[in-house]
Amino acid sequence: MLSREDNRRLAELERQLRHDDPDFCARMTGGMASPAPRRGPTLSLIITAIVIWAAAITLAVLGWWIAAVVAAVCATTVASVLTFRLVRRRADST
């Protein structure tokens, strides 16, 4: 199993090879394009967190405190997952 640094170096070599000789890469992959890097559902998490926070504020204004607290905890959890994914993606790309 490769370390994170080795994976980063291997990815850099692969990008460089694709840039320098795309025909060779196409022949080696059987003419199939390489899969695009998988992106997480960042936008959907942002929208989900905003909607849940808006619901929490609305519930608090209506006086439903327990439901507002539950919604706020859910929104905070979604925002934390989003932050974790963004930090991990940034660390992997550097």
Side-chain angles (χ1 to χ4, degrees):
M1 181 175 223
L2 298 175
S3 68
R4 181 176 284 182
E5 180 64 25
D6 290 338
N7 279 329
R8 188 190 64 76
R9 284 187 205 149
L10 183 60
E12 180 62 34
L13 287 171
E14 190 175 327
R15 280 191 298 273
Q16 187 66 34
L17 181 61
R18 283 199 178 118
H19 179 267
D20 291 344
D21 197 355
D23 294 332
F24 173 76
C25 292
R27 286 192 310 269
M28 290 296 112
T29 58
M32 305 269 302
S34 65
R38 186 170 170 245
R39 296 189 58 193
T42 306
L43 182 61
S44 65
L45 282 177
I46 291 171
I47 292 171
T48 302
I50 290 171
V51 168
I52 296 173
W53 267 109
I57 291 170
T58 304
L59 291 170
V61 168
L62 293 174
W64 295 358
W65 295 104
I66 294 174
V69 168
V70 170
V73 168
C74 289
T76 303
T77 302
V78 170
S80 298
V81 168
L82 175 66
T83 304
F84 176 74
R85 285 185 177 192
L86 290 175
V87 167
R88 191 175 70 192
R89 184 185 303 165
R90 185 170 297 191
D92 288 344
S93 66
T94 57

